[in-house]
Amino acid sequence: MNNSKKIFLETVGTEIKSPSVRKMIVTELEYHIDKEKQRFITSGMDEKDAEEKAVAQMGNPVPLGKELKKLHRPKVDWWIAVLFIMALCLGFLPLMAIGGNLGFVPHKIIYAIFGLVITGGLMLFNYSKIVKFRWASYLGGLFLSFLLFLFPTAYVNGFPYVELGPLAFNILDTIPFFFISWTGFLRDKRMNGLVLCILYLIPFLMFAFIGNILAMLLYTLILIGMVVWADTARPNKIYLLLMGAVGLVIGLATRLKTYLPGEYTQEKTFVYSNIQEVFTHANWLGMGGDQAAGVPEAHTDLALVTIIQQFGWLTGLFTVIVLFGLLVRMLFIFPRVNDPLGKVLIGGAITLLAFQTFYNLGMILGIFPLVGVPLPFISYGSYLIVFNAIMLGLVLSVYRRTSTFHAIKA
Protein backbone atom coordinates (compact mmCIF):
# COMPACT_ATOMS: atom_id res chain seq x y z
CA MET A 1 0.00 0.00 0.00
CA ASN A 2 1.47 3.36 -1.05
CA ASN A 3 1.78 6.24 1.41
CA SER A 4 -1.09 8.39 0.09
CA LYS A 5 -3.65 5.60 0.34
CA LYS A 6 -2.28 4.34 3.65
CA ILE A 7 -2.34 7.78 5.28
CA PHE A 8 -5.85 8.46 3.96
CA LEU A 9 -7.27 5.18 5.29
CA GLU A 10 -5.54 5.51 8.66
CA THR A 11 -6.87 9.05 9.06
CA VAL A 12 -10.42 7.93 8.27
CA GLY A 13 -10.01 4.98 10.65
CA THR A 14 -8.98 7.16 13.60
CA GLU A 15 -12.43 8.80 13.55
CA ILE A 16 -14.20 5.44 13.94
CA LYS A 17 -14.00 3.82 17.37
CA SER A 18 -15.65 0.44 16.73
CA PRO A 19 -12.96 -1.99 15.44
CA SER A 20 -15.43 -4.10 13.45
CA VAL A 21 -17.05 -1.06 11.81
CA ARG A 22 -13.63 0.51 11.17
CA LYS A 23 -12.40 -2.65 9.45
CA MET A 24 -15.45 -2.86 7.17
CA ILE A 25 -15.32 0.83 6.25
CA VAL A 26 -11.57 0.81 5.55
CA THR A 27 -11.94 -2.34 3.42
CA GLU A 28 -14.78 -0.77 1.44
CA LEU A 29 -12.88 2.51 0.91
CA GLU A 30 -9.76 0.65 -0.15
CA TYR A 31 -11.81 -1.27 -2.70
CA HIS A 32 -13.19 1.96 -4.21
CA ILE A 33 -9.76 3.60 -4.29
CA ASP A 34 -8.20 0.58 -6.02
CA LYS A 35 -11.06 0.48 -8.52
CA GLU A 36 -10.60 4.15 -9.43
CA LYS A 37 -6.83 3.75 -9.49
CA GLN A 38 -7.13 0.91 -12.00
CA ARG A 39 -9.40 3.04 -14.18
CA PHE A 40 -6.85 5.86 -14.25
CA ILE A 41 -4.00 3.45 -15.04
CA THR A 42 -6.03 2.07 -17.93
CA SER A 43 -6.43 5.62 -19.28
CA GLY A 44 -2.64 6.05 -19.40
CA MET A 45 -1.57 7.43 -15.99
CA ASP A 46 1.35 5.93 -14.07
CA GLU A 47 0.57 3.99 -10.86
CA LYS A 48 1.66 6.67 -8.36
CA ASP A 49 -0.28 9.51 -9.99
CA ALA A 50 -3.30 7.25 -10.47
CA GLU A 51 -3.39 6.38 -6.76
CA GLU A 52 -2.96 10.00 -5.65
CA LYS A 53 -5.79 11.11 -7.92
CA ALA A 54 -8.04 8.26 -6.72
CA VAL A 55 -7.35 9.21 -3.09
CA ALA A 56 -7.93 12.92 -3.81
CA GLN A 57 -11.36 12.09 -5.24
CA MET A 58 -12.41 10.60 -1.89
CA GLY A 59 -12.21 14.04 -0.22
CA ASN A 60 -10.91 15.18 3.16
CA PRO A 61 -10.39 12.07 5.36
CA VAL A 62 -11.27 13.76 8.69
CA PRO A 63 -14.81 14.98 7.89
CA LEU A 64 -15.33 11.83 5.79
CA GLY A 65 -14.44 9.66 8.80
CA LYS A 66 -16.80 11.62 11.06
CA GLU A 67 -19.63 11.36 8.54
CA LEU A 68 -19.08 7.62 8.05
CA LYS A 69 -19.00 7.11 11.84
CA LYS A 70 -22.35 8.85 12.16
CA LEU A 71 -23.87 7.09 9.16
CA HIS A 72 -22.71 3.57 10.04
CA ARG A 73 -23.29 3.65 13.78
CA PRO A 74 -24.66 0.21 14.87
CA LYS A 75 -28.43 0.29 15.36
CA VAL A 76 -30.70 -1.31 17.93
CA ASP A 77 -33.84 -3.12 16.83
CA TRP A 78 -36.21 -1.30 19.16
CA TRP A 79 -39.15 -3.49 18.12
CA ILE A 80 -37.53 -6.56 19.66
CA ALA A 81 -36.21 -4.61 22.64
CA VAL A 82 -39.61 -3.11 23.51
CA LEU A 83 -41.52 -6.37 22.94
CA PHE A 84 -38.99 -8.20 25.12
CA ILE A 85 -39.49 -5.75 28.00
CA MET A 86 -43.27 -5.95 27.59
CA ALA A 87 -43.12 -9.76 27.73
CA LEU A 88 -41.04 -9.63 30.93
CA CYS A 89 -43.59 -7.27 32.51
CA LEU A 90 -46.50 -9.48 31.46
CA GLY A 91 -44.72 -12.38 33.18
CA PHE A 92 -45.57 -10.81 36.56
CA LEU A 93 -49.34 -11.11 35.98
CA PRO A 94 -49.61 -14.83 36.87
CA LEU A 95 -47.70 -14.15 40.10
CA MET A 96 -50.08 -11.33 40.96
CA ALA A 97 -52.98 -13.73 40.38
CA ILE A 98 -51.69 -16.31 42.88
CA GLY A 99 -51.27 -13.55 45.49
CA GLY A 100 -50.60 -15.93 48.40
CA ASN A 101 -47.22 -16.97 46.99
CA LEU A 102 -45.57 -13.57 46.86
CA GLY A 103 -42.19 -15.20 47.45
CA PHE A 104 -42.03 -15.82 43.71
CA VAL A 105 -42.06 -12.11 42.90
CA PRO A 106 -38.55 -11.19 44.22
CA HIS A 107 -37.08 -14.13 42.32
CA LYS A 108 -38.93 -13.10 39.16
CA ILE A 109 -37.55 -9.56 39.51
CA ILE A 110 -34.01 -10.93 39.79
CA TYR A 111 -34.53 -13.20 36.77
CA ALA A 112 -35.97 -10.32 34.73
CA ILE A 113 -33.07 -7.99 35.57
CA PHE A 114 -30.58 -10.77 34.83
CA GLY A 115 -32.31 -11.41 31.50
CA LEU A 116 -32.12 -7.72 30.56
CA VAL A 117 -28.42 -7.61 31.44
CA ILE A 118 -27.70 -10.75 29.38
CA THR A 119 -29.65 -9.45 26.36
CA GLY A 120 -27.99 -6.03 26.51
CA GLY A 121 -24.53 -7.50 26.96
CA LEU A 122 -24.88 -9.94 24.07
CA MET A 123 -26.30 -7.21 21.84
CA LEU A 124 -23.02 -5.31 22.26
CA PHE A 125 -20.99 -8.50 21.82
CA ASN A 126 -19.67 -9.37 18.36
CA TYR A 127 -21.64 -12.55 17.66
CA SER A 128 -19.01 -13.81 15.20
CA LYS A 129 -16.65 -14.45 18.13
CA ILE A 130 -19.03 -16.99 19.65
CA VAL A 131 -17.53 -19.77 17.53
CA LYS A 132 -14.31 -19.58 19.57
CA PHE A 133 -16.11 -20.97 22.60
CA ARG A 134 -17.57 -24.05 20.90
CA TRP A 135 -15.52 -26.69 22.73
CA ALA A 136 -15.52 -24.88 26.06
CA SER A 137 -19.32 -24.56 25.87
CA TYR A 138 -19.82 -28.19 24.83
CA LEU A 139 -17.58 -29.56 27.58
CA GLY A 140 -19.20 -27.20 30.10
CA GLY A 141 -22.64 -28.53 29.14
CA LEU A 142 -21.45 -32.13 29.40
CA PHE A 143 -19.83 -31.48 32.78
CA LEU A 144 -23.06 -30.05 34.18
CA SER A 145 -25.05 -32.95 32.65
CA PHE A 146 -22.82 -35.59 34.26
CA LEU A 147 -22.92 -33.68 37.54
CA LEU A 148 -26.73 -33.77 37.47
CA PHE A 149 -26.76 -37.43 36.48
CA LEU A 150 -24.21 -38.69 39.00
CA PHE A 151 -24.29 -36.25 41.91
CA PRO A 152 -27.71 -34.56 42.21
CA THR A 153 -28.25 -32.65 45.44
CA ALA A 154 -32.04 -32.52 45.16
CA TYR A 155 -34.98 -33.74 43.09
CA VAL A 156 -37.90 -31.56 41.98
CA ASN A 157 -40.84 -33.28 40.25
CA GLY A 158 -38.59 -36.29 39.74
CA PHE A 159 -35.82 -34.34 37.97
CA PRO A 160 -32.31 -33.91 39.43
CA TYR A 161 -30.97 -30.54 40.56
CA VAL A 162 -27.51 -29.45 41.61
CA GLU A 163 -27.38 -26.67 44.18
CA LEU A 164 -24.26 -24.51 44.31
CA GLY A 165 -24.78 -21.95 47.05
CA PRO A 166 -27.79 -19.81 46.14
CA LEU A 167 -27.88 -21.22 42.59
CA ALA A 168 -29.78 -24.33 41.51
CA PHE A 169 -29.27 -25.99 38.12
CA ASN A 170 -31.29 -28.59 36.23
CA ILE A 171 -30.70 -30.32 32.91
CA LEU A 172 -32.47 -27.57 30.95
CA ASP A 173 -29.72 -25.14 32.02
CA THR A 174 -27.24 -27.09 29.86
CA ILE A 175 -29.04 -26.31 26.58
CA PRO A 176 -27.55 -22.77 26.17
CA PHE A 177 -24.08 -24.36 26.40
CA PHE A 178 -24.89 -26.79 23.60
CA PHE A 179 -26.52 -24.06 21.52
CA ILE A 180 -23.34 -21.98 21.64
CA SER A 181 -21.19 -25.01 20.87
CA TRP A 182 -23.21 -25.94 17.77
CA THR A 183 -22.81 -22.48 16.27
CA GLY A 184 -19.11 -23.26 16.15
CA PHE A 185 -19.35 -26.92 15.14
CA LEU A 186 -21.51 -26.06 12.13
CA ARG A 187 -18.89 -23.54 10.99
CA ASP A 188 -15.95 -25.93 11.41
CA LYS A 189 -15.08 -27.29 7.96
CA ARG A 190 -12.93 -30.04 9.53
CA MET A 191 -15.96 -31.74 11.10
CA ASN A 192 -17.32 -34.76 9.23
CA GLY A 193 -20.82 -36.21 9.46
CA LEU A 194 -19.92 -39.04 11.85
CA VAL A 195 -18.26 -36.74 14.36
CA LEU A 196 -21.17 -34.29 14.24
CA CYS A 197 -23.69 -37.08 14.79
CA ILE A 198 -21.74 -38.35 17.81
CA LEU A 199 -21.57 -34.82 19.22
CA TYR A 200 -25.36 -34.60 18.85
CA LEU A 201 -26.05 -38.01 20.40
CA ILE A 202 -24.05 -37.60 23.62
CA PRO A 203 -26.19 -34.77 25.11
CA PHE A 204 -29.38 -36.33 23.67
CA LEU A 205 -28.67 -39.62 25.45
CA MET A 206 -27.87 -37.78 28.67
CA PHE A 207 -31.26 -36.06 28.51
CA ALA A 208 -32.88 -39.46 27.85
CA PHE A 209 -31.12 -41.14 30.80
CA ILE A 210 -32.22 -38.32 33.10
CA GLY A 211 -35.72 -38.65 31.65
CA ASN A 212 -36.28 -35.03 30.65
CA ILE A 213 -38.22 -35.26 27.38
CA LEU A 214 -38.57 -31.48 27.15
CA ALA A 215 -34.76 -31.11 27.08
CA MET A 216 -34.59 -33.73 24.30
CA LEU A 217 -37.18 -31.86 22.24
CA LEU A 218 -35.71 -28.37 22.76
CA TYR A 219 -32.16 -29.53 22.02
CA THR A 220 -33.22 -31.37 18.86
CA LEU A 221 -35.48 -28.62 17.52
CA ILE A 222 -32.87 -25.93 18.03
CA LEU A 223 -30.27 -28.06 16.24
CA ILE A 224 -32.64 -28.67 13.29
CA GLY A 225 -33.40 -24.95 13.07
CA MET A 226 -29.68 -24.19 12.98
CA VAL A 227 -28.66 -26.96 10.57
CA VAL A 228 -31.22 -25.91 7.94
CA TRP A 229 -29.47 -22.56 7.52
CA ALA A 230 -25.90 -23.64 8.29
CA ASP A 231 -23.14 -23.12 5.74
CA THR A 232 -21.87 -26.67 6.06
CA ALA A 233 -21.20 -29.57 3.72
CA ARG A 234 -24.36 -31.09 2.23
CA PRO A 235 -23.65 -34.66 3.51
CA ASN A 236 -23.11 -33.31 7.03
CA LYS A 237 -26.37 -31.40 6.82
CA ILE A 238 -28.28 -34.50 5.65
CA TYR A 239 -26.80 -36.69 8.42
CA LEU A 240 -27.67 -34.18 11.12
CA LEU A 241 -31.18 -33.56 9.82
CA LEU A 242 -31.83 -37.32 9.73
CA MET A 243 -30.47 -37.72 13.27
CA GLY A 244 -32.55 -34.75 14.41
CA ALA A 245 -35.68 -36.18 12.79
CA VAL A 246 -35.15 -39.51 14.57
CA GLY A 247 -34.55 -37.71 17.88
CA LEU A 248 -37.67 -35.63 17.36
CA VAL A 249 -39.78 -38.72 16.63
CA ILE A 250 -38.44 -40.48 19.74
CA GLY A 251 -39.13 -37.47 21.96
CA LEU A 252 -42.61 -36.83 20.59
CA ALA A 253 -43.54 -40.52 20.61
CA THR A 254 -42.57 -40.74 24.27
CA ARG A 255 -44.90 -37.89 25.12
CA LEU A 256 -47.71 -38.63 22.68
CA LYS A 257 -48.26 -42.04 24.26
CA THR A 258 -50.25 -40.14 26.89
CA TYR A 259 -53.00 -39.94 24.26
CA LEU A 260 -53.25 -43.72 23.94
CA PRO A 261 -56.43 -45.32 25.31
CA GLY A 262 -56.15 -46.13 29.00
CA GLU A 263 -53.22 -43.77 29.55
CA TYR A 264 -55.08 -40.50 29.41
CA THR A 265 -55.21 -40.17 33.18
CA GLN A 266 -57.92 -38.78 35.38
CA GLU A 267 -55.51 -36.03 36.45
CA LYS A 268 -55.09 -34.77 32.88
CA THR A 269 -58.85 -34.93 32.32
CA PHE A 270 -59.29 -32.86 35.47
CA VAL A 271 -56.74 -30.28 34.26
CA TYR A 272 -58.43 -29.85 30.89
CA SER A 273 -61.85 -29.64 32.57
CA ASN A 274 -60.55 -26.77 34.72
CA ILE A 275 -59.07 -25.01 31.68
CA GLN A 276 -62.38 -25.35 29.86
CA GLU A 277 -64.16 -23.98 32.93
CA VAL A 278 -61.91 -20.91 32.91
CA PHE A 279 -62.44 -20.29 29.20
CA THR A 280 -66.19 -20.68 29.55
CA HIS A 281 -66.59 -18.18 32.38
CA ALA A 282 -63.86 -15.67 31.57
CA ASN A 283 -64.93 -12.34 30.12
CA TRP A 284 -63.01 -9.60 28.34
CA LEU A 285 -61.80 -8.02 31.58
CA GLY A 286 -61.51 -11.07 33.85
CA MET A 287 -63.60 -13.75 35.49
CA GLY A 288 -63.21 -12.81 39.13
CA GLY A 289 -63.72 -15.32 41.92
CA ASP A 290 -60.94 -17.12 43.78
CA GLN A 291 -57.43 -16.31 42.66
CA ALA A 292 -56.23 -18.90 40.13
CA ALA A 293 -58.90 -21.27 41.43
CA GLY A 294 -58.70 -24.76 39.96
CA VAL A 295 -55.72 -23.97 37.70
CA PRO A 296 -52.70 -26.21 38.36
CA GLU A 297 -49.25 -24.89 37.42
CA ALA A 298 -50.93 -21.48 37.48
CA HIS A 299 -47.65 -19.53 37.28
CA THR A 300 -45.66 -21.92 35.06
CA ASP A 301 -47.05 -24.10 32.25
CA LEU A 302 -50.60 -22.70 32.43
CA ALA A 303 -49.64 -19.08 33.09
CA LEU A 304 -51.68 -17.87 30.11
CA VAL A 305 -54.80 -19.58 31.49
CA THR A 306 -54.24 -17.75 34.78
CA ILE A 307 -53.90 -14.43 32.95
CA ILE A 308 -57.16 -15.01 31.06
CA GLN A 309 -58.93 -16.06 34.26
CA GLN A 310 -57.87 -13.10 36.38
CA PHE A 311 -57.32 -10.33 33.84
CA GLY A 312 -59.61 -11.30 30.96
CA TRP A 313 -59.42 -12.24 27.32
CA LEU A 314 -58.07 -8.82 26.29
CA THR A 315 -54.97 -9.23 28.45
CA GLY A 316 -54.55 -12.82 27.31
CA LEU A 317 -54.79 -11.85 23.65
CA PHE A 318 -52.38 -8.97 24.19
CA THR A 319 -49.88 -11.41 25.75
CA VAL A 320 -50.11 -13.70 22.71
CA ILE A 321 -49.76 -10.72 20.34
CA VAL A 322 -46.56 -9.62 22.10
CA LEU A 323 -45.01 -13.09 21.69
CA PHE A 324 -46.17 -13.33 18.08
CA GLY A 325 -44.72 -9.85 17.54
CA LEU A 326 -41.28 -11.11 18.60
CA LEU A 327 -41.56 -14.01 16.16
CA VAL A 328 -42.76 -11.82 13.29
CA ARG A 329 -39.97 -9.31 13.86
CA MET A 330 -37.30 -12.02 13.82
CA LEU A 331 -38.82 -13.45 10.64
CA PHE A 332 -38.63 -9.93 9.16
CA ILE A 333 -34.94 -9.60 10.05
CA PHE A 334 -33.97 -13.11 8.92
CA PRO A 335 -34.00 -12.62 5.10
CA ARG A 336 -31.98 -9.41 5.49
CA VAL A 337 -29.06 -11.28 7.05
CA ASN A 338 -26.43 -12.47 4.58
CA ASP A 339 -23.90 -13.84 7.05
CA PRO A 340 -24.31 -17.66 7.38
CA LEU A 341 -23.53 -17.56 11.11
CA GLY A 342 -26.12 -14.82 11.62
CA LYS A 343 -28.70 -16.94 9.80
CA VAL A 344 -27.87 -19.94 11.98
CA LEU A 345 -28.31 -17.94 15.18
CA ILE A 346 -31.60 -16.32 14.12
CA GLY A 347 -32.87 -19.63 12.72
CA GLY A 348 -32.21 -21.31 16.07
CA ALA A 349 -33.86 -18.46 17.98
CA ILE A 350 -36.98 -18.54 15.79
CA THR A 351 -37.26 -22.33 16.15
CA LEU A 352 -36.96 -22.17 19.94
CA LEU A 353 -39.42 -19.31 20.43
CA ALA A 354 -41.93 -20.74 17.94
CA PHE A 355 -41.84 -24.20 19.51
CA GLN A 356 -42.39 -22.92 23.03
CA THR A 357 -45.15 -20.52 22.02
CA PHE A 358 -47.13 -22.78 19.71
CA TYR A 359 -46.76 -25.90 21.85
CA ASN A 360 -47.86 -24.09 25.00
CA LEU A 361 -50.89 -22.66 23.19
CA GLY A 362 -51.69 -26.09 21.71
CA MET A 363 -51.29 -27.66 25.14
CA ILE A 364 -53.77 -25.19 26.67
CA LEU A 365 -56.26 -25.80 23.85
CA GLY A 366 -55.99 -29.58 24.25
CA ILE A 367 -54.33 -30.10 20.86
CA PHE A 368 -51.02 -31.31 22.36
CA PRO A 369 -50.43 -33.36 25.52
CA LEU A 370 -49.38 -31.74 28.79
CA VAL A 371 -45.62 -32.00 28.45
CA GLY A 372 -44.57 -29.11 30.65
CA VAL A 373 -43.55 -26.67 27.88
CA PRO A 374 -43.52 -23.15 29.37
CA LEU A 375 -44.62 -19.95 27.66
CA PRO A 376 -41.57 -17.79 26.81
CA PHE A 377 -40.94 -14.96 29.33
CA ILE A 378 -44.43 -15.39 30.81
CA SER A 379 -44.05 -18.66 32.72
CA TYR A 380 -42.07 -18.57 35.95
CA GLY A 381 -38.56 -20.01 35.89
CA SER A 382 -34.95 -18.92 35.72
CA TYR A 383 -33.69 -21.06 32.83
CA LEU A 384 -36.62 -19.94 30.68
CA ILE A 385 -35.79 -16.24 30.95
CA VAL A 386 -32.03 -16.73 30.75
CA PHE A 387 -32.11 -19.02 27.71
CA ASN A 388 -34.55 -16.90 25.75
CA ALA A 389 -32.65 -13.75 26.77
CA ILE A 390 -29.47 -15.29 25.32
CA MET A 391 -31.32 -15.98 22.08
CA LEU A 392 -32.74 -12.46 21.79
CA GLY A 393 -29.38 -10.92 22.72
CA LEU A 394 -27.70 -12.79 19.87
CA VAL A 395 -30.49 -11.80 17.46
CA LEU A 396 -30.00 -8.15 18.43
CA SER A 397 -26.24 -8.56 17.97
CA VAL A 398 -26.77 -9.94 14.46
CA TYR A 399 -29.17 -7.11 13.58
CA ARG A 400 -26.81 -4.49 15.02
CA ARG A 401 -23.96 -5.58 12.78
CA THR A 402 -26.15 -6.42 9.80
CA SER A 403 -27.60 -2.91 9.75
CA THR A 404 -24.06 -1.48 9.82
CA PHE A 405 -22.91 -3.74 6.98
CA HIS A 406 -25.92 -2.84 4.83
CA ALA A 407 -25.26 0.85 5.42
CA ILE A 408 -21.67 0.45 4.29
CA LYS A 409 -22.63 -1.53 1.19
CA ALA A 410 -25.17 1.14 0.30
Side-chain angles (χ1 to χ4, degrees):
M1 187 185 297
N2 292 332
N3 282 339
S4 57
K5 183 170 72 172
K6 181 178 180 181
I7 293 171
F8 175 83
L9 294 175
E10 287 178 350
T11 305
V12 171
T14 56
E15 300 296 327
I16 302 164
K17 304 303 180 185
S18 171
S20 58
V21 176
R22 184 191 311 124
K23 181 179 179 181
M24 286 190 292
I25 288 175
V26 167
T27 301
E28 187 71 16
L29 289 175
E30 185 175 9
Y31 168 77
H32 287 300
I33 290 173
D34 289 342
K35 185 177 180 181
E36 285 298 294
K37 172 184 171 182
Q38 200 60 41
R39 187 170 68 86
F40 292 139
I41 290 175
T42 304
S43 65
M45 295 181 66
D46 62 62
E47 182 176 351
K48 183 179 179 182
D49 291 340
E51 181 168 294
E52 288 179 353
K53 186 173 181 179
V55 169
Q57 282 189 345
M58 302 301 292
N60 191 320
V62 175
L64 177 62
K66 291 179 179 178
E67 185 64 27
L68 288 173
K69 176 185 176 182
K70 180 180 178 181
L71 180 62
H72 305 314
R73 184 178 293 125
K75 297 178 177 64
V76 177
D77 188 291
W78 289 108
W79 281 102
I80 288 182
V82 171
L83 289 169
F84 171 48
I85 294 171
M86 290 171 67
L88 288 178
C89 293
L90 288 167
F92 286 93
L93 294 181
L95 303 182
M96 294 168 60
I98 60 171
N101 297 307
L102 293 177
F104 288 127
V105 175
H107 290 95
K108 181 76 172 185
I109 293 172
I110 293 172
Y111 300 154
I113 294 173
F114 192 42
L116 286 170
V117 171
I118 289 175
T119 302
L122 286 175
M123 180 184 69
L124 300 175
F125 177 73
N126 186 348
Y127 71 90
S128 63
K129 295 182 180 179
I130 199 173
V131 298
K132 297 179 181 179
F133 305 102
R134 57 189 181 277
W135 283 111
S137 297
Y138 189 81
L139 294 175
L142 285 183
F143 174 77
L144 184 55
S145 299
F146 280 109
L147 202 63
L148 286 160
F149 184 64
L150 299 174
F151 307 105
T153 59
Y155 281 86
V156 179
N157 296 326
F159 296 120
Y161 277 71
V162 170
E163 296 174 342
L164 301 175
L167 302 176
F169 300 94
N170 66 23
I171 196 64
L172 291 170
D173 293 313
T174 65
I175 295 181
F177 290 92
F178 295 123
F179 169 72
I180 291 172
S181 66
W182 276 103
T183 60
F185 292 156
L186 293 173
R187 294 270 290 178
D188 194 337
K189 303 298 183 183
R190 296 169 297 178
M191 293 281 190
N192 60 46
L194 178 61
V195 172
L196 289 172
C197 288
I198 292 172
L199 290 173
Y200 162 74
L201 277 175
I202 295 173
F204 184 85
L205 292 175
M206 285 300 303
F207 299 151
F209 289 147
I210 289 174
N212 196 310
I213 307 302
L214 176 58
M216 294 166 61
L217 290 173
L218 286 177
Y219 173 62
T220 303
L221 280 166
I222 291 169
L223 179 64
I224 290 173
M226 296 170 71
V227 169
V228 167
W229 302 106
D231 182 22
T232 187
R234 187 179 179 83
N236 293 351
K237 185 176 289 192
I238 292 172
Y239 294 148
L240 283 173
L241 288 176
L242 287 174
M243 289 293 295
V246 172
L248 199 59
V249 169
I250 292 172
L252 288 174
T254 305
R255 296 310 306 176
L256 289 174
K257 71 177 183 179
T258 56
Y259 272 154
L260 295 176
E263 297 198 27
Y264 194 73
T265 65
Q266 183 178 358
E267 179 185 356
K268 291 181 175 62
T269 304
F270 173 75
V271 170
Y272 281 120
S273 296
N274 287 341
I275 293 173
Q276 187 62 41
E277 182 76 12
V278 169
F279 289 168
T280 301
H281 293 90
N283 56 46
W284 287 108
L285 298 177
M287 187 177 76
D290 297 334
Q291 291 181 326
V295 181
E297 306 293 340
H299 62 303
T300 53
D301 300 340
L302 302 182
L304 183 62
V305 177
T306 305
I307 290 174
I308 293 171
Q309 181 189 44
Q310 296 299 317
F311 302 99
W313 283 106
L314 279 177
T315 309
L317 289 172
F318 180 73
T319 302
V320 173
I321 289 170
V322 168
L323 295 177
F324 277 20
L326 282 170
L327 273 173
V328 169
R329 186 59 188 172
M330 285 193 285
L331 287 169
F332 176 81
I333 293 172
F334 184 80
R336 289 160 175 75
V337 176
N338 296 319
D339 178 40
L341 178 59
K343 280 191 174 293
V344 165
L345 291 172
I346 297 183
I350 291 172
T351 303
L352 173 71
L353 190 63
F355 171 74
Q356 292 175 94
T357 302
F358 287 108
Y359 197 102
N360 187 273
L361 292 176
M363 194 170 63
I364 289 171
L365 296 173
I367 300 171
F368 302 137
L370 293 167
V371 179
V373 177
L375 194 62
F377 307 114
I378 309 301
S379 297
Y380 179 82
S382 59
Y383 91 90
L384 181 68
I385 290 180
V386 171
F387 191 19
N388 286 301
I390 289 172
M391 291 292 195
L392 287 187
L394 290 171
V395 171
L396 289 171
S397 176
V398 173
Y399 176 83
R400 192 167 181 264
R401 282 153 185 81
T402 299
S403 61
T404 303
F405 178 76
H406 283 172
I408 293 170
K409 294 298 286 183

